[in-house]
Amino acid sequence: MLIDRTMPLGTALTVTCASDRGPRTHNADAYAHNRRTFVVADGVGDSAAAAEAAHAAAQAAALLTDPVAAILAARDALQVHAGDAVIVVAVARPGGGFDVAWAGDARAYASDGEDLVQLTTDHTVAEYFRERGLAPAARLEHVVTNTVRHATPENVGRAGTRAQRLVLVSDGVYGPLRHNGIEAITSGHVSAERLVRAALYAGGTDNATALVVS
């Protein structure tokens, strides 16, 4: 497991990051952060190309302090890569809280230490059907309708929160843990490592990556 614990200089924010390959051949998840910008990317597929795309997207996005512009920068970075990825980006506001943008089904959650709120809405075929009052087949949960490579200013998701704790995760974490599992873990002292370990212990079959800012 890759674990990173740090406190960005010049801020009151603490960030913890963790990523594990799980049972997959490649770890196609990636995370990155700087003083204000926090990113989790999940490569599409289990391949070296997917891993390279996720890392390139995450690194490019972390350089900017506007979440939508960060995703567009990630898109541009993939022009020299064969793979694709989904991504979620959060930027800390100077006065507190976060602005969030995403493309695909990587998620952001806000927590006050008790209640957990999902900020993002998955860009998947399953979510498309749910928004129209239809029950989707389980397999459609994993069919994404937007990715980094296809991101535009119009189709990137946007959200904001005043919460002081933010959790970014790939589907390898929220899939096995579900909302209640993540909420139970974030109700106490939470770290990215704890979320990733819990997801794998719960039977996760994918790469698992988490980034927690508080």
Side-chain angles (χ1 to χ4, degrees):
M1 180 183 291
L2 181 62
I3 303 168
D4 177 22
R5 297 185 183 91
T6 186
M7 180 176 290
L9 296 176
T11 77
L13 295 175
T14 298
V15 56
T16 64
C17 314
S19 184
D20 196 286
R21 177 170 57 88
R24 294 292 186 97
T25 302
H26 302 270
N27 189 349
D29 281 0
Y31 62 77
H33 60 86
N34 64 24
R35 294 160 66 97
R36 289 180 55 199
T37 304
F38 309 94
V39 186
V40 166
D42 180 356
V44 177
D46 182 15
S47 66
E52 291 172 4
H55 282 82
Q59 292 297 323
L63 297 175
L64 299 181
T65 55
D66 176 273
V68 174
I71 292 178
L72 299 180
R75 179 196 63 190
D76 293 343
L78 291 195
Q79 299 309 307
V80 296
H81 294 274
D84 201 354
V86 298
I87 196 169
V88 59
V89 179
V91 175
R93 297 170 178 165
F98 300 88
D99 292 312
V100 178
W102 70 95
D105 62 348
R107 289 184 182 177
Y109 295 88
S111 172
D112 61 4
E114 295 183 4
D115 297 324
L116 185 76
V117 176
Q118 182 179 330
L119 300 174
T120 54
T121 302
D122 295 343
H123 293 158
T124 61
V125 175
E127 190 61 33
Y128 175 88
F129 281 120
R130 271 193 292 270
E131 289 174 352
R132 287 154 180 79
L134 302 172
R139 62 182 176 81
L140 299 180
E141 299 289 354
H142 306 289
V143 182
V144 294
T145 57
N146 196 18
T147 64
V148 173
R149 193 174 290 279
H150 296 95
T152 68
E154 294 74 30
N155 66 21
V156 167
R158 297 170 172 84
T161 179
R162 295 182 180 178
Q164 298 304 303
R165 177 180 290 175
L166 195 74
V167 179
L168 307 182
V169 290
S170 66
D171 60 353
V173 171
Y174 70 73
L177 290 181
R178 308 293 183 184
H179 188 98
N180 289 344
I182 297 174
E183 186 172 58
I185 293 171
T186 56
S187 65
H189 176 70
V190 62
S191 69
E193 180 185 1
R194 188 178 176 199
L195 284 166
V196 169
R197 291 193 185 280
L200 297 175
Y201 183 78
T205 60
D206 200 351
N207 309 145
T209 298
L211 185 153
V212 178
V213 192
S214 58

